[in-house]
Amino acid sequence: MKKKPNVLLILEGTYPYNGGGVSTWAHILCNEIKNANFTLYSINASYEEKSKYTLSDNVKRVVQVPQWAPLEPKELIDYGKKYYKLVFKKNYNDEAIIDEEFIPLFTSFLKNIKSPNSDTAELDTIIFKMWQFFQQHDYKKTMQRQKVWQTFYDISKDDLIEDNDTETTLLDITEGLRWIYRFLIPITIKVPKCEISHITLAGFPILPALVLKYKYGTPIIVTEHGVFIRERLLAINSAEYSFFLKKLLIQFSEAITKLVYYKADLILSVNKFNMTWEKLYGAESSKIKVIYNGIDHELFSPKPKPEHLKNTPTVVAAARVFHLKDIITMIRSCEVVRRKIPNVKYIVYGDDNAVPEYTEECNTLIQELNLQDNFIFGGITNSPNLLYCEGDISILTSISEGFPYTVIESMSCGVPVVATDVGGVAEALDESCGFICKPRDFEEIGNRVIELLENDELRKQKGVNARQKVIDYFTIGTFISEYEKAYESVL
């Protein structure tokens, strides 16, 4: 019997320690794929104690990298490097070697990412040489060298003069170097040998995949859910950073995104919408293929509405409570609906502690609009297949998405959807299954909710059509078959 290839599935802030659409996708993949085993490479903000999921037998190992923890990842976790080698690297960091070998590399690296015409092939070479350097030299000791800081300051100072930015502080420059330090950590960590690297966004998780590419020529697959660079730009735009830090983060993110598309052997998009962004950042059309997400339509099936909600017009949502899901617009749409249907109830299931300050903003708005009896956070549920059937309709108000599971899961349950026109939503949902609205237009969203809640016949017919569309196009069998073919193709 032929040995299954090992796939290094590289994730950031999702599976197996956190929920959400990408985690749902990864869990299905790891459970259902028959022609591969998996090593999970999980990049997280801090050290996670326990997996949120029961892992499949296909998952042979989990490697965790707590990228922003107070202690270095190597100080928290054993990555299999012999102790004497770590000691040797600590002692081998002669300052003259850092000055002669690393500083020119670091200078080239900074100039490349800051250049408006960043050379992706050159950046690839620079990162390769930096990786080689850190095979022999200690990362922390090198990056704490005063000359490294001085190099970053000198290049940043030139940038500031050019932009005529007088508001930047010494703290901003220190924070900028700290970001670079943290983002580059994965090139210093030993990565287990696998036959395929599979990254789940076109961003900084490319680094462990590059290590395997440099060392063994391991092919790289990237699955683009929400477009990393688009969501990064949205987040940076709304963040309270200085102009200097925003510009640095945009430059670094754009350079890395281009590098992902340059190095990837295969780019799998969950929708056609993403392809425009991928090509804009240098992806070759011949590398791109669309594979839609799929679900278990037998598990997500129509069920009677619970007794306690039978006489209550109910709108349900499955959403992690943070800015990309735009819960603020959802709340405002609820206020529009209540004007016509006073006893309407919105129930949002999902993690409402992920971004506490955003949840607080939502709760404040609920109080201001006097919606305490109409808009409820239901928390995390262990039975997502049951939650949609609590509603007469479901809702999604995101400002960015890939190919959202919440839409096709709801459709599979025979529940019509009102959703914003983002990512691949319109590729799953059409007028026969629900309504598509402009993002942030709470009046339009609210009016569409009213239209469905007040018209039983229309609502039921759209629900029937929605389930049939899932059965025709978005089942787990089709989804898994396409990924198995993808793994075979790069081998």
Side-chain angles (χ1 to χ4, degrees), residues 180-321:
I180 289 173
Y181 177 90
R182 291 291 177 175
F183 285 135
L184 291 178
I185 278 174
I187 66 168
T188 74
I189 291 171
K190 184 180 178 183
V191 183
K193 185 177 181 181
C194 291
E195 283 70 48
I196 299 169
S197 294
H198 189 170
I199 64 174
T200 53
L201 74 162
F204 297 102
I206 186 63
L207 293 174
L210 288 179
V211 170
L212 291 188
K213 189 88 163 176
Y214 296 150
K215 203 168 182 180
Y216 306 110
T218 306
I220 298 172
I221 295 176
V222 54
T223 291
E224 192 91 287
H225 293 272
V227 181
F228 164 80
I229 192 60
R230 179 176 181 272
E231 294 185 350
R232 177 71 72 168
L233 293 173
L234 285 168
I236 293 169
N237 184 54
S238 61
E240 294 182 359
Y241 299 138
S242 67
F243 175 78
F244 169 77
L245 286 174
K246 284 185 175 184
K247 184 177 179 183
L248 175 66
L249 195 49
I250 289 170
Q251 289 168 328
F252 198 5
S253 300
E254 289 190 323
I256 288 293
T257 293
K258 290 174 185 175
L259 183 60
V260 172
Y261 298 145
Y262 175 73
K263 296 296 285 186
D265 296 87
L266 184 60
I267 300 164
L268 301 177
S269 180
V270 298
N271 59 53
K272 294 174 185 172
F273 167 83
N274 291 354
M275 293 168 67
T276 303
W277 284 83
E278 290 159 356
K279 291 174 186 176
L280 182 65
Y281 280 84
E284 296 174 14
S285 299
S286 59
K287 289 183 178 181
I288 304 172
K289 177 180 171 62
V290 174
I291 300 180
Y292 291 118
N293 293 338
I295 58 164
D296 183 347
H297 66 287
E298 300 294 344
L299 178 65
F300 289 90
S301 59
K303 298 173 186 65
K305 194 175 176 185
E307 200 65 40
H308 69 284
L309 291 170
K310 273 195 172 166
N311 297 316
T312 304
T314 309
V315 181
V316 295
R320 184 168 172 252
V321 181

Side-chain angles (χ1 to χ4, degrees), residues 327-341:
I327 307 301
I328 292 293
T329 289
M330 194 184 296
I331 295 167
R332 292 193 182 280
S333 79
C334 179
E335 197 272 330
V336 172
V337 178
R338 190 190 58 177
R339 296 176 208 159
K340 196 83 182 286
I341 308 173

